């Protein structure tokens, strides 16, 4: 009799545990989709510390980098010139591993946290207006005072390629819990190929939203909707940045990949893609063309994306620009990339 009672008690206990497990699993299933425990699921958002930028996991993939002859002809007839877009060639296939890219441009607030901790200096000025194209800087302008009002959610401007690298070194020290930061990251500037791949987000059209530049005001901040006055080609009076994330993201979940501010990449500039890496790595080889280097013979660094001051034809993912590594301007910002384990 006692054996029967023990058997029944054990059966009840097993049933209760099984039922509880099923209820727990059902509750977990109902709470939302399962996220990869590796943190590498495409579209997943990563953040290493409260002051660190949000990072979006970009899937591995392949794409055709550069613009077609038809696209270059279109840009030349919509405010550009064939000379201005000649460096978007030759089109070539690039295959990239998965990586993470900033969900937004680095904001003024995020950069301020870096400056507070490190006492990093503001530099020797910042370019504005027509002085930008002479690589001149107004010593009164800095990232704290770029000449127009900003919130902490606006993209930081008046930061050079060197300033961006200093911010990234600080992030890497945080990622290594105060220890010696690795020279290889995990944080870094994106390569030019990574940037274009992420900006296109699987599209092959002129813009990441399609081929129609008339839709640009919906998707980007540029000279038609940023307070610009007296627009003349690439110049305008007044105008300013806007808080990140105010326009819709692209298909990868990235904001402001077109317009608002130009974004530094890691690459040395060359006037074509011949010989550049096909695996997504940055081009670190200075060009043999003296016009692709600065006055000291150092390579100009590529920046991408267009800005609040520039016209719509420059909002294309294929658009390339370049500036000296020590140059700062009110149209220049950056976003960071991150290696994945």
């Amino acid at each position: 009799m006692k054996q029967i009672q023990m058997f029944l008690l054990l059966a009840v206990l097993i049933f209760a545990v099984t039922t509880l497990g099923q209820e727990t699993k059902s509750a977990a299933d109902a709470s939302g989709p399962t996220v990869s425990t590796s943190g590498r699921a495409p579209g997943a958002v990563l953040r290493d510390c409260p002051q660190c930028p949000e990072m979006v996991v970009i899937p591995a993939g392949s794409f055709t980098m550069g613009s077609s002859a038809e696209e270059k002809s279109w840009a030349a007839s919509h405010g550009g010139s064939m000379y201005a877009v000649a460096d978007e060639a030759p089109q070539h296939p690039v295959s990239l591993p998965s990586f993470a890219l900033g969900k937004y441009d680095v904001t003024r607030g995020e950069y301020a946290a870096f400056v507070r901790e490190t006492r990093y200096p503001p530099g020797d000025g910042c370019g504005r207006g027509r002085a930008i194209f002479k690589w001149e800087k107004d010593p009164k302008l800095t990232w704290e005072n770029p000449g127009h009002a900003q919130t902490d959610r606006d993209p930081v401007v008046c930061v050079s390629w060197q300033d961006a690298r200093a911010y990234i070194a600080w992030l890497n020290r945080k990622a290594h819990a105060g220890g010696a930061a690795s020279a290889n990251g995990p944080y870094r500037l994106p390569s030019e190929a990574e940037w274009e791949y992420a900006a296109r987000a699987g599209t092959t059209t002129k813009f990441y939203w399609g081929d129609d530049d008339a839709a640009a005001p919906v998707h980007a901040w540029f000279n038609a909707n940023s307070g610009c006055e007296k627009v003349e080609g690439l110049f305008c009076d007044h105008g300013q940045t806007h808080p990140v994330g105010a326009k819709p993201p692209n298909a990868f979940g990235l904001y402001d990949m077109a317009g608002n501010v130009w974004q530094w990449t890691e690459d040395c500039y060359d006037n074509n893609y011949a010989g550049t890496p096909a695996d997504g790595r940055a081009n670190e080889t200075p060009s043999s063309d003296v016009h692709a280097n600065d006055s000291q013979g150092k390579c100009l660094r590529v920046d991408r994306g267009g800005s609040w001051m520039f016209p719509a034809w420059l909002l294309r993912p294929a658009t390339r620009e370049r500036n000296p590594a020590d140059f700062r301007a009110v149209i220049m910002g950056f976003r960071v990339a991150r290696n994945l384990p």
Side-chain angles (χ1 to χ4, degrees):
M1 187 69 177
K2 288 183 178 180
Q3 289 179 333
I4 294 174
Q5 289 175 335
M6 287 294 293
F7 176 78
L8 291 173
L9 181 61
L10 181 61
V12 170
L13 180 62
I14 291 172
F15 176 80
V17 171
T18 302
T19 302
L20 178 62
Q22 289 176 339
E23 290 175 349
T24 303
K25 182 178 185 297
S26 297
D29 290 344
S31 67
T34 302
V35 178
S36 170
T37 55
S38 68
R40 294 184 60 172
V45 178
L46 315 174
R47 197 171 202 171
D48 289 328
C49 70
Q51 295 172 321
C52 297
E54 292 180 271
M55 309 295 294
V56 177
V57 175
I58 307 300
S62 300
F63 80 113
T64 299
M65 187 172 181
S67 62
S68 65
E70 185 276 330
E71 182 175 328
K72 284 193 279 287
S73 178
W74 178 92
S77 66
H78 284 72
S81 68
M82 292 305 291
Y83 172 78
V85 296
D87 61 359
E88 299 171 11
Q91 282 191 300
H92 60 289
V94 179
S95 296
L96 308 91
S98 183
F99 64 100
L101 191 65
K103 186 176 182 178
Y104 310 105
D105 297 310
V106 172
T107 66
R108 179 186 171 104
E110 288 167 340
Y111 194 80
F114 152 66
V115 172
R116 282 195 300 269
E117 279 197 16
T118 63
R119 297 185 180 180
Y120 188 78
D124 59 354
C126 178
R128 188 175 181 88
R130 295 180 184 274
I132 289 171
F133 292 92
K134 299 177 183 178
W135 294 336
E136 295 175 350
K137 304 172 191 174
D138 182 337
K140 299 187 296 297
L141 299 181
T142 68
W143 70 269
E144 289 184 287
N145 176 32
H148 64 262
Q150 285 191 308
T151 70
D152 278 351
R153 289 294 291 167
D154 276 65
V156 68
V157 294
C158 295
V159 284
S160 68
W161 183 87
Q162 295 164 342
D163 297 336
R165 291 284 299 264
Y167 171 85
I168 288 167
W170 173 74
L171 280 185
N172 282 330
R173 290 194 292 273
K174 286 190 166 298
H176 288 269
S182 167
N184 297 318
Y187 290 98
R188 54 184 174 77
L189 283 172
S191 72
E192 188 178 10
E194 287 174 330
W195 191 96
E196 185 171 329
Y197 172 70
R200 290 184 180 279
T203 65
T204 58
T205 47
K206 294 181 182 70
F207 306 96
Y208 76 75
W209 59 83
D211 285 318
D212 188 5
D213 61 330
V218 175
H219 298 279
W221 298 111
F222 64 114
N223 66 3
N225 62 358
S226 292
C228 280
E229 299 176 7
K230 299 180 181 178
V231 176
E232 297 179 21
L234 300 182
F235 305 99
C236 73
D237 292 335
H238 306 297
Q240 63 183 72
T241 59
H242 293 76
V244 299
K247 298 293 185 181
N250 70 5
F252 281 169
L254 302 170
Y255 291 82
D256 299 299
M257 290 297 282
N260 219 1
V261 292
W262 290 98
Q263 302 160 42
W264 289 111
T265 71
E266 183 66 25
D267 295 60
C268 285
Y269 174 78
D270 209 338
N271 50 21
N272 62 62
Y273 289 129
T276 57
D279 59 2
R281 288 178 297 120
N283 173 33
E284 288 288 2
T285 304
S287 175
S288 58
D289 180 355
V290 294
H291 299 294
N293 300 312
D294 64 18
S295 59
Q296 297 177 323
K298 297 179 181 178
C299 67
L300 301 177
R301 297 289 174 169
V302 177
D303 48 278
R304 292 294 204 113
S307 78
W308 58 264
M309 194 177 84
F310 281 21
W313 70 270
L314 287 162
L315 299 174
R316 299 171 300 112
T319 298
R320 306 174 72 204
E321 188 50 80
R322 69 277 192 189
N323 284 287
D326 64 349
F327 184 62
R328 301 182 186 89
V330 295
I331 57 174
M332 294 290 298
F334 69 105
R335 75 177 67 211
V336 298
R338 188 189 190 283
N339 298 329
L340 294 176

